[in-house]
């Protein structure tokens, strides 16, 4: 299987490479549009600031390519946020795959922003209830698993939400629209749970 990790101006790519190597998956790191279009699976990771990351995507023309892709696509952390319509981080226009805004966490006494550390994920049905048939990325996992987060901005609950997390408020831990999957947490450093999510993604 040809797996491509999108190369752009965002950190944490090395951790994703190590995670794929741990599960025996081969990959290619590329910012070439034709290489990305020819992939069977695409991973769009990232750590960093939204406007800088979007500038890098625009310079390579990938802002036009990504929304047109038809193969299974997984965005994580900043990668998830860039798939949304916009971000309050420096008032950034993003890719618009998910037509929702990324919002800044409110300041609430007793809560640190950014959220850094382990928190759980709770699967949802489209109407907001508890899922009986879980999203393909969550197969083989328990109803409430813990994963690693590091973020000061969040995606609100919406029609695309397939799992939620509660920190200051309830927000989208995972999104799906057609072939686009996204996770706010860092699958690549979420231990066995993260590895299972990557395995599930490669088997979709």
């Amino acid at each position: 299987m040809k797996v491509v990790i999108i190369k752009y101006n965002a950190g944490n790519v090395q951790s994703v490479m190590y995670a794929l190597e741990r599960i025996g998956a081969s990959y290619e790191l590329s910012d070439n549009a034709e290489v990305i279009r020819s992939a069977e699976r695409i991973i769009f990771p990232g750590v960093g600031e939204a406007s800088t990351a979007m500038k890098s995507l625009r310079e390579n023309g990938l802002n036009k390519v990504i929304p047109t892709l038809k193969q299974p696509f997984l965005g994580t952390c900043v990668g998830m946020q860039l798939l949304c319509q916009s971000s309050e981080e420096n008032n950034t226009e993003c890719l618009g795959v998910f037509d929702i805004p990324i919002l800044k966490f409110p300041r609430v006494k007793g809560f640190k922003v950014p959220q850094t550390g382990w928190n759980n994920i709770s699967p949802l049905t489209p109407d907001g209830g508890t899922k009986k048939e879980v999203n393909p990325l969550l197969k083989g996992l328990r109803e409430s698993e813990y994963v690693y987060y590091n973020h000061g901005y969040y995606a609100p609950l919406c029609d695309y939400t397939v799992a939620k997390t509660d920190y200051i408020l309830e927000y989208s831990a995972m999104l799906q629209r057609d072939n686009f999957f996204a996770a706010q947490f860092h699958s690549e450093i979420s231990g066995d749970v993260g590895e299972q999510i990557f395995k599930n993604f490669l088997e979709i």
Side-chain angles (χ1 to χ4, degrees):
M1 179 181 293
K2 182 178 179 180
V3 180
V4 170
I5 302 171
I6 294 180
K7 179 183 178 182
Y8 68 113
N9 190 18
N12 219 43
V13 173
Q14 198 69 48
S15 295
V16 175
M17 293 177 178
Y18 291 150
L20 291 175
E21 289 168 4
R22 286 196 299 270
I23 63 174
S26 58
Y27 59 84
E28 182 175 352
L29 178 65
S30 180
D31 58 5
N32 181 282
E34 293 310 312
V35 171
I36 293 168
R37 286 193 183 98
S38 67
E40 294 173 80
R41 299 290 184 276
I42 299 169
I43 298 176
F44 183 45
V47 172
E49 187 270 324
S51 65
T52 303
M54 280 302 305
K55 180 181 178 183
S56 176
L57 292 173
R58 286 192 295 269
E59 287 172 349
N60 292 323
L62 296 182
N63 62 313
K64 302 294 186 183
V65 173
I66 290 172
T68 69
L69 296 171
K70 302 301 181 184
Q71 59 272 74
F73 185 107
L74 175 61
T76 62
C77 198
V78 169
M80 167 176 159
Q81 296 190 0
L82 296 180
L83 288 173
C84 295
Q85 191 71 45
S86 62
S87 173
E88 288 190 338
E89 187 173 26
N90 290 323
N91 297 316
T92 303
E93 180 181 351
C94 299
L95 297 168
V97 171
F98 302 105
D99 55 354
I100 59 172
I102 294 297
L103 307 175
K104 188 174 183 177
F105 274 127
R107 294 287 181 177
V108 176
K109 186 176 181 180
F111 290 90
K112 293 182 178 180
V113 177
Q115 175 188 199
T116 302
W118 296 83
N119 203 341
N120 66 348
I121 48 175
S122 300
L124 297 182
T125 55
D127 64 1
T130 301
K131 254 191 179 305
K132 294 182 179 178
E133 184 175 340
V134 299
N135 186 268
L137 291 191
L138 296 172
K139 286 183 178 179
L141 301 180
R142 295 174 299 180
E143 188 170 320
S144 182
E145 295 277 13
Y146 278 79
V147 290
Y148 191 84
Y149 292 87
N150 184 12
H151 62 117
Y153 295 79
Y154 70 95
L157 298 179
C158 63
D159 290 342
Y160 309 117
T161 304
V162 295
K164 68 177 182 178
T165 300
D166 191 341
Y167 186 80
I168 300 178
L169 43 72
E170 289 187 335
Y171 66 89
S172 296
M174 300 179 71
L175 302 170
Q176 183 189 354
R177 181 180 183 184
D178 302 325
N179 58 304
F180 287 92
F181 298 81
Q184 179 59 69
F185 50 88
H186 289 282
S187 302
E188 69 280 1
I189 52 176
S190 291
D192 292 342
V193 174
E195 287 190 8
Q196 185 62 51
I197 288 171
F198 276 127
K199 288 177 183 177
N200 290 341
F201 175 67
L202 297 181
E203 292 172 358
I204 291 173

